[in-house]
Amino acid sequence: MSVDSGPRKVDAGYAIEYLQEHPEAGLCCDDRGCWITPNANETDRQALLLEATEAERLKDDPRLRLVSGIAHAGRSLWVVRRMT
């Protein structure tokens, strides 16, 4: 029987694939770290974790955009850009 040990650490490549497959998800960062949340409206939940260097690589990906004015002070959120 396997025990769920919580969110796993992933690299930027896996994280962008996850974000593209789950458009409601987002990349969140604060002073404690960075994680992928399954729903960008509920940034406390963690689906995947990223090391700081991987998070920086992900933030630089042109497929993501920074969301301004989120409810949590000190926290930033990136989501997949909508392509038209």
Side-chain angles (χ1 to χ4, degrees), residues 1 11 17-18 23 27 41 45 48 56-57 59 64 68 82:
M1 175 180 228
D11 64 15
E17 287 179 25
Y18 181 92
L27 167 66
N41 292 320
R45 294 180 49 214
L48 304 169
E56 289 304 316
R57 285 183 51 213
K59 289 179 200 176
L64 297 183
S68 61
R82 294 184 195 265

Side-chain angles (χ1 to χ4, degrees), residues 11-72:
D11 64 15
Y14 184 90
I16 192 67
E17 287 179 25
Y18 181 92
L19 290 167
Q20 288 180 306
E21 291 174 7
H22 300 89
E24 68 284 356
L27 167 66
C28 293
C29 294
D30 65 15
D31 59 347
R32 295 172 295 150
C34 293
W35 64 94
I36 301 295
T37 182
N39 187 322
N41 292 320
E42 299 173 16
T43 61
D44 289 333
R45 294 180 49 214
Q46 298 177 343
L48 304 169
L49 301 175
L50 290 105
E51 296 285 342
T53 54
E54 292 299 313
E56 289 304 316
R57 285 183 51 213
L58 191 54
K59 289 179 200 176
D60 290 339
D61 193 300
R63 293 171 282 191
L64 297 183
R65 68 174 176 84
L66 179 62
V67 177
S68 61
I70 68 168
H72 292 281

